[in-house]
Amino acid sequence: ADRPPTVRGTLKIYLDAAPGVGKTYAMLSEGRRLRAHGVDVVVAYAEAHDRPGIVSQLAELEAVPVQLVSRRRATFVELDLDAVLARHPKVALVDEFAYTNAPTSRNAHRWEDVEELLDAGVDVVSTLNIQHLESLIDVVERITGVRQLEIVPDAVVRNAYEIVVVDMTPEALRRR
């Protein structure tokens, strides 16, 4: 039986210390496992990163069409929050948790879109690079010399039901 929409969904985050270690792949693999067990799963948004393994996994999962938003001379590919809410899956896969939405979007950040999905009773599996955590912004800037503009409040991440660290050695990452 489906749970009542008043029950908040759960959030699971695949977290990494460096882009490219496999968090999107891990998120999609989980989606495929859940689907194989009869769970209603959709890809709400995922970046293929031109990686064949990700592209092949995406082909095996139902995806809610994304929204193209034009602003000035740029076109943004955005999660279509209203379409995902209307589809109301048990689980939505949402890549790039820290992403800043297009200026005309209802929410300024993707993590706020995820909050709406959770409030609607949809479980969400997402991905996050550790350098986007609010409490680490100054540390990351000191180490890299780059100020992160896409920031996720620590409290939002602390509310996750589960956080899975995805990692690989620097040598393996360089090979990739």
Side-chain angles (χ1 to χ4, degrees):
D2 290 334
R3 71 169 120 178
T6 56
V7 175
R8 184 171 165 89
T10 61
L11 173 62
K12 180 174 185 176
I13 297 173
Y14 283 95
L15 179 73
D16 69 8
V21 299
K23 64 190 178 309
T24 299
Y25 188 92
M27 175 189 73
L28 295 172
S29 293
E30 179 169 347
R32 289 176 52 235
R33 280 191 306 276
L34 290 169
R35 192 200 67 214
H37 286 94
V39 176
D40 181 21
V41 178
V42 299
V43 176
Y45 184 88
E47 288 281 342
H49 304 290
D50 294 324
R51 295 204 174 101
I54 293 175
V55 171
S56 68
Q57 287 195 86
L58 283 169
E60 296 179 32
L61 292 164
E62 177 187 345
V64 174
V66 294
Q67 190 175 35
L68 298 177
V69 177
S70 295
R71 170 126 174 156
R72 297 189 184 140
R73 294 182 193 175
T75 299
F76 302 92
V77 179
E78 300 286 332
L79 177 151
D80 189 336
L81 180 57
D82 289 326
V84 179
L85 288 167
R87 170 63 177 73
H88 204 276
K90 169 74 175 127
V91 177
L93 307 177
V94 181
D95 206 6
E96 306 288 347
F97 192 61
Y99 179 80
T100 300
N101 290 333
T104 56
S105 298
R106 173 162 75 232
N107 296 311
H109 305 280
R110 184 156 300 145
W111 62 265
E112 293 169 306
D113 294 340
V114 167
E115 286 292 311
E116 282 198 47
L117 293 171
L118 296 170
D119 287 344
V122 176
D123 294 338
V124 176
V125 180
S126 194
T127 62
L128 177 65
N129 294 331
I130 200 165
Q131 70 262 24
H132 297 292
L133 284 175
E134 182 179 44
S135 61
L136 297 178
I137 296 302
D138 293 335
V139 174
V140 170
E141 185 176 15
R142 279 195 308 271
I143 293 169
T144 66
V146 177
R147 181 84 177 163
Q148 293 296 319
L149 300 177
E150 296 180 321
I151 300 169
V152 177
D154 290 6
V156 172
V157 176
R158 273 196 295 274
N159 285 332
Y161 170 76
E162 184 177 3
I163 297 173
V164 177
V165 177
V166 180
D167 201 7
M168 71 171 41
T169 65
E171 295 79 24
L173 186 56
R174 279 191 286 270
R175 281 193 304 273
R176 179 177 277 177

